[in-house]
Amino acid sequence: MLKKSLELLRLEAAETGSHTLKRSLNGFNLITIGIGVIIGAGLFSLTGIAAANNTGPAVTLSFVVAAIGCAFSALCYAEFASMVPVSGSAYTYAYATMGELFAWIIGWDLVLEYSVGAATVAISWSQYLVKFLGKYNLHIPAQLVMSPFETTTLVDGTTVHGFVNVPAMLIVLAITAIIVRGTEGSAWFNTLVVTLKVSVVLVFIALGWQYIDPANYQPYIPANTGTFGEFGWSGILRGAGVIFFVFIGFDIVATMAQETKNPQRNMPIGIIGSLLICTVLFVLFGHVLTGLANYTEFKNSAAPVAIAIEKTPYAWLSAAVILAIIIGYTSVILVDLLGQSRVFFSMAKDGLLPPVFSQIHPKFRTPLQSNLLLGLFIALFAGFVPISVVGEMTSIGTLLAFVMVCLGILIMRKKEPNAPRGFRTPWVPVVPILGILTCLVMMVSLPWETWLRLAVWLAIGLAIYYGYGKKHSKLRQAQEGNNQ
């Protein structure tokens, strides 16, 4: 199996000049990038759904269980990021441990998650923007917030067809414009966005805490209904599976390794720091949410926070929460686009994709052409494809990447035990094995449609690999040259 050596990866990490990415991110920037994608709108919806259907007030325990599951993978990511501080995240790690074909599969998988995820979030961002503007009697024509394949019935009873989802396209293009000017500017924008939405979460916790009704916590763990996953301890585990997807995103921090100052120190700080901060916020958020309203009131509600706010005298918080969701989605789109382009950059730099995706702008030191092409493609996708087709952002690609990274740590500890590591995953092999098992359980619990979409996407990817990537692989060409 054709693999990249650690020596080659370190040489790539040490490259300098106008053809390389600019190292401008510090540990604080990485933490905010991680928080930016972890704290999305899912926090404001999935918490209530899990409480109503699976956990009751014990949703806080589900957050802890899910965080522990993520922590196993995060510790493995941190070791890899300190060993091979180059772009590509799990794609690069797989290249060094399991070979080129596995690396391609993981890279192509991450591209699916990031690109489809960015389009999906952009469409949802558009919907929330319409709701927010509607509170102030500002209305966008319905035809301009839907794809051509969607219809809606207006207040007067007339049915109109969509033309294009203009807000969804504009937000993708706007964030692309921010990204192409450099990760330093992107990090500044992301820090501002994260500060705003974390502030709203803290305000909700601080103001809501005063109006908690202790009776809503009785019983803290409702008795199981007789069905696995419906309350009781099995409900806590099922709830952890539901809200696990709220945590996914810290892996995108690892794609920023080649743009990070002192990555051996700062990458572990960014990965583990963002996970710890979000875990504390999520537990407090879940505690206040289920303390303000009885968990049964969240049944079949996509906006449980609005229900909880009604229990307080702060009606203005409703608009603030919608604004926080809009802001949260903005940072998720930004980080998705960043991560996606960096994976493409690494794959193109290895020759597995056309060289246009690895060309660096001499001034901005970013993959400008790649950002523009991908931004335009995702904007068109968000503008003309209905959300029912785009589907919810699948996490199966990330879970598969987590499995590969944990497995990679086991392989590297055996094959490269003395390699320099800025951070070492503790309790190996226990932590990587627990990470693999946790992620596999999550993957098995996903519906078969998700597996089908993954299979189709991987089939397309394998066709591209054998039709283009394998023939143009720089590592393969170098090896064949050495053998002649």
Side-chain angles (χ1 to χ4, degrees):
M1 186 70 72
L2 192 63
K3 299 179 183 177
K4 271 192 175 183
S5 65
L6 286 179
E7 290 73 18
L8 180 59
L9 288 171
R10 292 195 183 100
L11 286 174
E12 291 180 6
E15 289 180 354
T16 58
S18 60
H19 64 288
T20 61
L21 298 171
K22 183 180 179 181
R23 293 192 182 275
S24 59
L25 303 177
N26 56 34
F28 176 75
N29 296 144
L30 294 175
I31 288 176
T32 59
I33 286 173
I35 295 173
V37 74
I38 296 173
I39 300 184
L43 174 64
F44 301 103
S45 58
L46 291 181
T47 307
I49 292 172
N53 298 331
N54 310 109
T55 68
V59 68
T60 51
L61 298 181
S62 291
F63 273 124
V64 174
V65 171
I68 291 172
C70 282
F72 295 137
S73 300
L75 291 169
C76 294
Y77 263 95
E79 177 170 328
F80 262 127
S82 71
M83 290 178 66
V84 284
V86 295
S87 292
S89 182
Y91 159 77
T92 302
Y93 309 154
Y95 217 148
T97 56
M98 283 163 273
E100 185 174 275
L101 179 58
F102 280 101
W104 171 270
I105 291 172
I106 290 299
W108 191 247
D109 217 15
L110 291 175
V111 167
L112 170 68
E113 181 200 353
Y114 296 159
S115 57
V116 174
T120 305
V121 174
I123 296 171
S124 294
W125 183 94
S126 174
Q127 294 175 351
Y128 276 106
L129 178 66
V130 171
K131 290 183 180 179
F132 181 76
L133 294 177
K135 287 183 173 290
Y136 301 96
N137 294 317
L138 299 173
H139 303 284
I140 302 174
Q143 296 92 331
L144 299 182
V145 292
M146 295 186 298
S147 78
F149 307 97
E150 294 175 291
T151 61
T152 189
T153 302
L154 302 179
V155 178
D156 61 7
T158 59
T159 300
V160 296
H161 286 266
F163 176 66
V164 59
N165 195 328
V166 174
M169 294 185 68
L170 290 179
I171 188 61
V172 172
L173 294 175
I175 292 178
T176 298
I178 293 173
I179 289 173
V180 299
R181 296 188 63 84
T183 51
E184 192 169 3
S186 302
W188 178 88
F189 174 79
N190 186 66
T191 299
L192 175 62
V193 168
V194 168
T195 300
L196 289 172
K197 68 179 179 180
V198 169
S199 297
V200 171
V201 172
L202 292 175
V203 168
F204 173 78
I205 293 170
L207 296 182
W209 200 283
Q210 309 170 58
Y211 299 94
I212 287 176
D213 182 357
N216 289 326
Y217 295 133
Q218 303 300 325
Y220 194 71
I221 303 177
N224 184 261
T225 62
T227 302
F228 183 89
E230 293 184 6
F231 307 107
W233 285 102
S234 68
I236 292 173
L237 294 177
R238 176 67 59 83
V242 172
I243 61 178
F244 177 84
F245 309 112
V246 174
F247 283 95
I248 288 175
F250 66 82
D251 63 310
I252 294 181
V253 175
T255 68
M256 301 288 108
Q258 207 160 344
E259 294 158 273
T260 301
K261 304 171 186 175
N262 191 7
Q264 286 81 2
R265 171 184 176 274
N266 288 325
M267 290 305 297
I269 290 175
I271 292 170
I272 298 173
S274 60
L275 181 62
L276 287 175
I277 291 172
C278 288
T279 300
V280 173
L281 288 176
F282 290 176
V283 170
L284 293 174
F285 185 89
H287 180 74
V288 172
L289 186 76
T290 53
L292 288 174
N294 190 277
Y295 69 91
T296 57
E297 297 183 54
F298 302 138
K299 193 75 174 178
N300 301 320
S301 173
V305 179
I307 296 174
I309 289 173
E310 291 177 358
K311 310 295 182 180
T312 75
Y314 305 111
W316 56 269
L317 260 182
S318 179
V321 167
I322 293 179
L323 181 60
I325 291 173
I326 293 172
I327 294 171
Y329 269 151
T330 303
S331 60
V332 172
I333 297 169
L334 182 145
V335 182
D336 271 342
L337 291 176
L338 269 176
Q340 203 256 18
S341 64
R342 272 40 179 186
V343 173
F344 256 55
F345 170 81
S346 296
M347 296 173 78
K349 195 174 180 182
D350 292 331
L352 304 183
L353 286 173
V356 65
F357 294 109
S358 63
Q359 293 177 1
I360 301 297
H361 190 275
K363 179 181 178 181
F364 300 137
R365 302 274 295 279
T366 60
L368 176 66
Q369 295 182 60
S370 176
N371 283 141
L372 293 176
L373 285 171
L374 294 170
L376 180 60
F377 170 75
I378 294 171
L380 291 172
F381 205 57
F384 290 96
V385 180
I387 195 168
S388 59
V389 175
V390 175
E392 66 180 20
M393 183 179 177
T394 178
S395 300
I396 194 168
T398 306
L399 288 167
L400 183 57
F402 285 3
V403 170
M404 291 295 187
V405 170
C406 292
L407 182 60
I409 288 297
L410 295 174
I411 294 173
M412 293 304 286
R413 285 293 183 92
K414 184 174 180 62
K415 293 189 174 182
E416 300 279 352
N418 299 318
R421 291 166 167 84
F423 175 86
R424 296 180 68 89
T425 303
W427 306 307
V428 173
V430 175
V431 167
I433 290 174
L434 289 175
I436 292 170
L437 293 176
T438 302
C439 294
L440 287 176
V441 168
M442 298 288 183
M443 290 177 72
V444 170
S445 69
L446 292 171
W448 69 268
E449 294 92 343
T450 303
W451 286 88
L452 180 61
R453 286 194 296 269
L454 177 65
V456 171
W457 180 254
L458 290 181
I460 295 172
L462 289 174
I464 295 174
Y465 173 72
Y466 285 107
Y468 179 91
K470 188 175 181 179
K471 298 175 184 178
H472 295 83
S473 167
K474 293 181 181 179
L475 189 62
R476 189 175 299 276
Q477 290 174 350
Q479 187 181 66
E480 291 174 352
N482 293 333
N483 293 336
Q484 291 179 355

